[in-house]
Amino acid sequence: MTDVGFTHIGGPTVLIEFGGWRLLTDPTFDPPGRTYDFGWGTSSRKLIGPAIAAADLPAIDAILLTHDHHGDNLDTAGRALLPGAGSVLTTASGARRLGGGARGLRPGHTHRLHAPGKPTLTVTATPARHGPPLSQPITGHVIGFALTWPGQTHGPLWITGDTVHHRAVRRFAQAHRPGTVLLHLGAVRFPLTGPLRYTMSTRDALSLLDGLAPTTVLPVHYEGWQHFTENRDGIATTLDHTPAGTRHPFSWLIPGHQQTIGV
């Protein structure tokens, strides 16, 4: 078992530390107040700033960027961190846009991170769809990440990325049986597209996890922006009304504070 430190910085941004590695997911460090254009007439305003300033971060070995084209996953201050990271892993299309040595991965593709004195870290891109069927040409490519390394006892650490619940995501979860899940929620909606959702609700997530046995589920990407329609209170209410046998071990990360979990 490996003790892994998780520090939730805000939105989807989490600092993950173990075995000498420091990984950062979807860096967002802009202050609140700005409205970001997401394309096709959609936009959202950032409501809450980061719990830790970019200047206070330790040196980052790798940035795991689920997608580069939405401001709630990569903003201006987050983009400024990319050149200083040891590696940047993202979608194939995102790597072409970013340049600068970013490595693009397609779902199912792997990349190994090596460093003296640290366990070899295998990063596998996992499927994600950031909206309803046939929306990918509009919403763009997104991936999640499954992390494995020697000494894990509970299965991969899975970062779902911004995705709805769909067949390919379910197939991955059933095949790989993740032990710890960094779960992007928020039930994102926009006035322009009415009831259509672009990330999972809690009920979607419970359906995705049905039949699995993760040891820890860590919700992220549910507060701090206008386009989130299900915040922590909404998530907790749904969990409270879910039969005990299907709730799964959800655990809340306190922004700015590290929580250590055995993985």
Side-chain angles (χ1 to χ4, degrees):
M1 181 183 294
T2 305
D3 286 338
V4 180
F6 295 88
T7 306
H8 190 196
I9 295 170
T13 310
V14 180
L15 176 64
I16 303 171
E17 300 176 272
F18 66 94
W21 290 108
R22 293 189 179 108
L23 314 174
L24 187 67
T25 68
D26 287 353
T28 54
F29 289 90
D30 284 357
R34 177 178 165 187
T35 296
Y36 296 74
D37 178 13
F38 290 161
W40 296 85
T42 62
S43 64
S44 183
R45 183 161 57 91
K46 187 172 185 177
L47 305 175
I48 300 173
I52 297 174
D56 295 330
L57 290 173
I60 300 299
D61 296 300
I63 289 176
L64 306 178
L65 179 59
T66 65
H67 57 302
D68 69 301
H69 52 282
H70 291 154
D72 62 325
N73 296 84
L74 181 67
D75 59 17
T76 302
R79 193 175 293 267
L81 294 174
L82 302 184
S87 300
V88 177
L89 306 181
T90 190
T91 63
S93 56
R96 290 192 295 269
R97 286 188 291 267
L98 293 171
R103 180 175 291 271
L105 299 175
R106 300 182 188 278
H109 290 184
T110 64
H111 178 71
R112 287 181 174 83
L113 297 173
H114 304 274
K118 301 177 185 179
T120 297
L121 176 58
T122 300
V123 182
T124 301
T126 68
R129 193 183 75 212
H130 203 355
L134 306 178
S135 65
Q136 191 173 76
I138 297 173
T139 59
H141 293 101
V142 179
I143 54 174
F145 298 98
L147 310 183
T148 58
W149 59 86
Q152 275 182 323
T153 57
H154 299 306
L157 164 57
W158 183 25
I159 302 158
T160 66
D162 288 9
T163 185
V164 296
H165 179 202
H166 69 289
R167 188 176 302 169
V169 175
R170 174 70 175 166
R171 280 200 301 262
F172 166 81
Q174 290 179 320
H176 295 274
R177 316 294 292 189
T180 302
V181 182
L182 205 62
L183 184 64
H184 288 217
L185 291 176
V188 166
R189 290 179 179 174
F190 297 98
L192 183 68
T193 53
L196 297 179
R197 279 202 298 265
Y198 297 87
T199 60
M200 286 186 283
S201 68
T202 308
R203 293 192 183 279
D204 295 330
L206 291 172
S207 179
L208 171 64
L209 297 173
D210 183 39
L212 305 179
T215 57
T216 309
V217 180
L218 303 171
V220 296
H221 192 268
Y222 58 83
E223 285 185 323
W225 288 79
Q226 277 183 324
H227 62 320
F228 295 154
T229 66
E230 190 178 51
N231 60 14
R232 175 170 172 165
D233 289 344
I235 296 168
T237 297
T238 299
L239 294 176
D240 288 343
H241 289 85
T242 300
T246 60
R247 287 181 191 170
H248 299 286
F250 278 69
S251 182
W252 298 101
L253 295 170
I254 302 171
H257 296 268
Q258 187 184 81
Q259 180 172 328
T260 301
I261 295 169
V263 175

Coordinates of all heavy atoms in Angstrom, one line a residue, residues 109-143:
H109 N -4.1 4.6 -24.4 CA -2.7 4.7 -24.6 C -2.0 5.0 -23.2 O -2.6 5.6 -22.4 CB -2.3 5.9 -25.6 CG -2.7 5.5 -27.0 ND1 -2.4 6.4 -28.0 CD2 -3.3 4.4 -27.5 CE1 -2.8 5.8 -29.2 NE2 -3.3 4.7 -28.9
T110 N -0.8 4.6 -23.1 CA -0.1 4.7 -21.8 C 1.2 5.5 -22.0 O 1.8 5.6 -23.1 CB 0.3 3.4 -21.1 OG1 1.2 2.6 -22.0 CG2 -1.0 2.6 -20.9
H111 N 1.7 6.1 -20.9 CA 3.0 6.8 -20.8 C 3.6 6.5 -19.5 O 2.8 6.5 -18.5 CB 2.8 8.3 -21.1 CG 4.1 9.0 -21.0 ND1 5.1 9.0 -21.9 CD2 4.6 9.9 -20.0 CE1 6.1 9.7 -21.6 NE2 5.8 10.3 -20.4
R112 N 4.9 6.2 -19.4 CA 5.5 5.9 -18.2 C 6.4 7.0 -17.7 O 7.2 7.6 -18.6 CB 6.3 4.6 -18.3 CG 5.4 3.4 -18.3 CD 6.2 2.1 -18.4 NE 5.2 0.9 -18.3 CZ 4.5 0.4 -19.3 NH1 4.7 1.0 -20.5 NH2 3.7 -0.6 -19.1
L113 N 6.3 7.4 -16.5 CA 7.1 8.4 -15.9 C 8.2 7.8 -15.1 O 7.9 6.9 -14.2 CB 6.3 9.4 -15.1 CG 5.2 10.2 -15.8 CD1 4.3 11.0 -14.8 CD2 5.8 11.2 -16.8
H114 N 9.4 8.1 -15.3 CA 10.6 7.6 -14.6 C 11.4 8.7 -13.9 O 11.5 9.8 -14.5 CB 11.5 6.8 -15.5 CG 10.9 5.7 -16.3 ND1 10.7 4.4 -15.8 CD2 10.3 5.7 -17.6 CE1 10.1 3.7 -16.7 NE2 9.9 4.5 -17.8
A115 N 11.9 8.5 -12.7 CA 12.8 9.4 -12.1 C 13.6 8.6 -11.0 O 13.0 7.7 -10.4 CB 12.0 10.6 -11.4
P116 N 14.9 9.0 -10.8 CA 15.7 8.3 -9.9 C 15.0 8.3 -8.5 O 14.6 9.4 -8.0 CB 17.0 9.1 -9.9 CG 17.0 9.7 -11.2 CD 15.6 10.0 -11.6
G117 N 15.0 7.2 -7.8 CA 14.5 7.1 -6.5 C 13.0 7.1 -6.3 O 12.5 7.1 -5.2
K118 N 12.3 7.1 -7.4 CA 10.8 7.2 -7.4 C 10.3 5.9 -8.1 O 10.9 5.4 -9.1 CB 10.3 8.4 -8.1 CG 10.8 9.7 -7.5 CD 10.3 10.9 -8.2 CE 10.9 12.2 -7.7 NZ 10.4 13.4 -8.4
P119 N 9.1 5.4 -7.7 CA 8.5 4.3 -8.4 C 8.1 4.7 -9.8 O 7.7 5.8 -10.1 CB 7.3 4.0 -7.5 CG 6.9 5.2 -6.8 CD 8.3 5.9 -6.6
T120 N 8.3 3.8 -10.7 CA 7.8 4.0 -12.1 C 6.3 4.2 -12.1 O 5.6 3.3 -11.6 CB 8.2 2.8 -13.0 OG1 9.7 2.8 -13.1 CG2 7.7 3.1 -14.4
L121 N 5.9 5.2 -12.7 CA 4.4 5.6 -12.7 C 3.9 5.4 -14.1 O 4.4 6.0 -15.1 CB 4.3 7.0 -12.3 CG 2.9 7.6 -12.3 CD1 1.9 6.8 -11.4 CD2 2.9 9.0 -11.8
T122 N 2.9 4.5 -14.3 CA 2.3 4.3 -15.5 C 1.0 5.0 -15.6 O 0.1 4.9 -14.7 CB 2.0 2.8 -15.8 OG1 3.2 2.0 -15.7 CG2 1.3 2.5 -17.1
V123 N 0.8 5.9 -16.6 CA -0.3 6.7 -16.8 C -1.1 6.3 -18.0 O -0.5 6.3 -19.1 CB 0.0 8.2 -16.9 CG1 -1.2 9.1 -17.1 CG2 0.9 8.7 -15.8
T124 N -2.3 5.8 -17.9 CA -3.1 5.4 -19.0 C -4.3 6.3 -19.2 O -5.0 6.7 -18.2 CB -3.7 4.0 -18.7 OG1 -2.6 3.1 -18.5 CG2 -4.5 3.5 -19.9
A125 N -4.4 6.8 -20.4 CA -5.6 7.7 -20.7 C -6.9 6.9 -20.8 O -6.9 5.8 -21.3 CB -5.4 8.4 -22.1
T126 N -7.9 7.4 -20.1 CA -9.2 6.7 -20.0 C -10.2 7.5 -20.8 O -10.2 8.7 -21.0 CB -9.6 6.5 -18.6 OG1 -9.9 7.8 -18.0 CG2 -8.5 5.9 -17.8
P127 N -11.3 6.8 -21.3 CA -12.3 7.4 -22.1 C -13.1 8.4 -21.3 O -13.3 8.3 -20.1 CB -13.2 6.3 -22.6 CG -12.8 5.1 -21.7 CD -11.5 5.3 -21.1
A128 N -13.5 9.5 -22.0 CA -14.4 10.5 -21.5 C -15.2 11.1 -22.6 O -14.7 11.2 -23.7 CB -13.6 11.5 -20.7
R129 N -16.4 11.6 -22.3 CA -17.2 12.3 -23.3 C -17.9 13.4 -22.5 O -18.7 13.2 -21.6 CB -18.3 11.4 -23.9 CG -18.9 12.0 -25.1 CD -20.0 11.2 -25.7 NE -21.2 11.2 -24.9 CZ -22.1 10.2 -24.7 NH1 -21.8 9.0 -25.3 NH2 -23.1 10.3 -24.0
H130 N -17.6 14.6 -22.9 CA -17.9 15.8 -22.2 C -19.3 16.4 -22.6 O -19.5 17.6 -22.9 CB -16.9 16.9 -22.5 CG -16.8 18.0 -21.4 ND1 -17.6 18.1 -20.4 CD2 -15.9 19.0 -21.3 CE1 -17.3 19.1 -19.6 NE2 -16.2 19.7 -20.2
G131 N -20.3 15.5 -22.7 CA -21.6 15.9 -23.1 C -22.4 14.7 -23.6 O -22.0 13.6 -23.6
P132 N -23.6 15.0 -24.2 CA -24.5 14.0 -24.7 C -24.0 13.3 -25.9 O -22.9 13.8 -26.5 CB -25.8 14.8 -25.0 CG -25.4 16.2 -25.2 CD -24.2 16.4 -24.3
P133 N -24.6 12.3 -26.4 CA -24.2 11.6 -27.6 C -24.0 12.6 -28.8 O -24.8 13.5 -28.9 CB -25.3 10.6 -27.9 CG -25.8 10.3 -26.6 CD -25.8 11.6 -25.8
L134 N -23.0 12.4 -29.6 CA -22.7 13.2 -30.8 C -22.2 14.6 -30.5 O -22.1 15.4 -31.4 CB -23.9 13.2 -31.7 CG -24.5 11.9 -32.1 CD1 -25.7 12.1 -33.0 CD2 -23.4 11.0 -32.8
S135 N -21.9 14.9 -29.2 CA -21.5 16.2 -28.8 C -20.0 16.5 -29.0 O -19.6 17.6 -28.9 CB -21.9 16.5 -27.4 OG -21.2 15.7 -26.5
Q136 N -19.2 15.4 -29.2 CA -17.8 15.6 -29.2 C -17.2 16.7 -30.2 O -16.3 17.4 -29.8 CB -17.0 14.3 -29.4 CG -15.6 14.4 -29.1 CD -14.9 13.0 -29.1 OE1 -14.6 12.5 -30.2 NE2 -14.6 12.4 -28.0
P137 N -17.8 16.8 -31.4 CA -17.3 17.8 -32.3 C -17.5 19.2 -31.7 O -16.8 20.1 -32.1 CB -18.1 17.6 -33.6 CG -18.5 16.1 -33.5 CD -18.7 15.9 -32.1
I138 N -18.4 19.4 -30.8 CA -18.7 20.7 -30.2 C -17.9 20.9 -28.9 O -17.3 21.9 -28.7 CB -20.2 20.9 -30.0 CG1 -20.9 20.8 -31.3 CG2 -20.5 22.2 -29.3 CD1 -22.5 20.8 -31.2
T139 N -18.0 19.9 -28.1 CA -17.4 20.0 -26.7 C -15.9 19.7 -26.7 O -15.2 20.0 -25.8 CB -18.1 19.1 -25.7 OG1 -18.0 17.7 -26.2 CG2 -19.5 19.4 -25.6
G140 N -15.4 19.0 -27.8 CA -14.0 18.7 -27.9 C -13.6 17.4 -27.1 O -14.4 16.8 -26.4
H141 N -12.3 17.1 -27.4 CA -11.8 15.8 -26.8 C -11.4 16.0 -25.3 O -10.9 17.0 -24.9 CB -10.6 15.3 -27.5 CG -10.9 14.9 -28.9 ND1 -10.6 15.7 -30.0 CD2 -11.4 13.8 -29.4 CE1 -11.0 15.1 -31.1 NE2 -11.5 13.9 -30.8
V142 N -11.7 15.0 -24.5 CA -11.4 15.0 -23.1 C -10.9 13.5 -22.8 O -11.4 12.6 -23.4 CB -12.6 15.3 -22.2 CG1 -12.3 15.2 -20.7 CG2 -13.2 16.7 -22.6
I143 N -10.0 13.4 -21.8 CA -9.6 12.1 -21.3 C -9.6 12.2 -19.8 O -9.6 13.2 -19.2 CB -8.2 11.7 -21.8 CG1 -7.1 12.7 -21.5 CG2 -8.3 11.3 -23.3 CD1 -5.7 12.3 -21.9

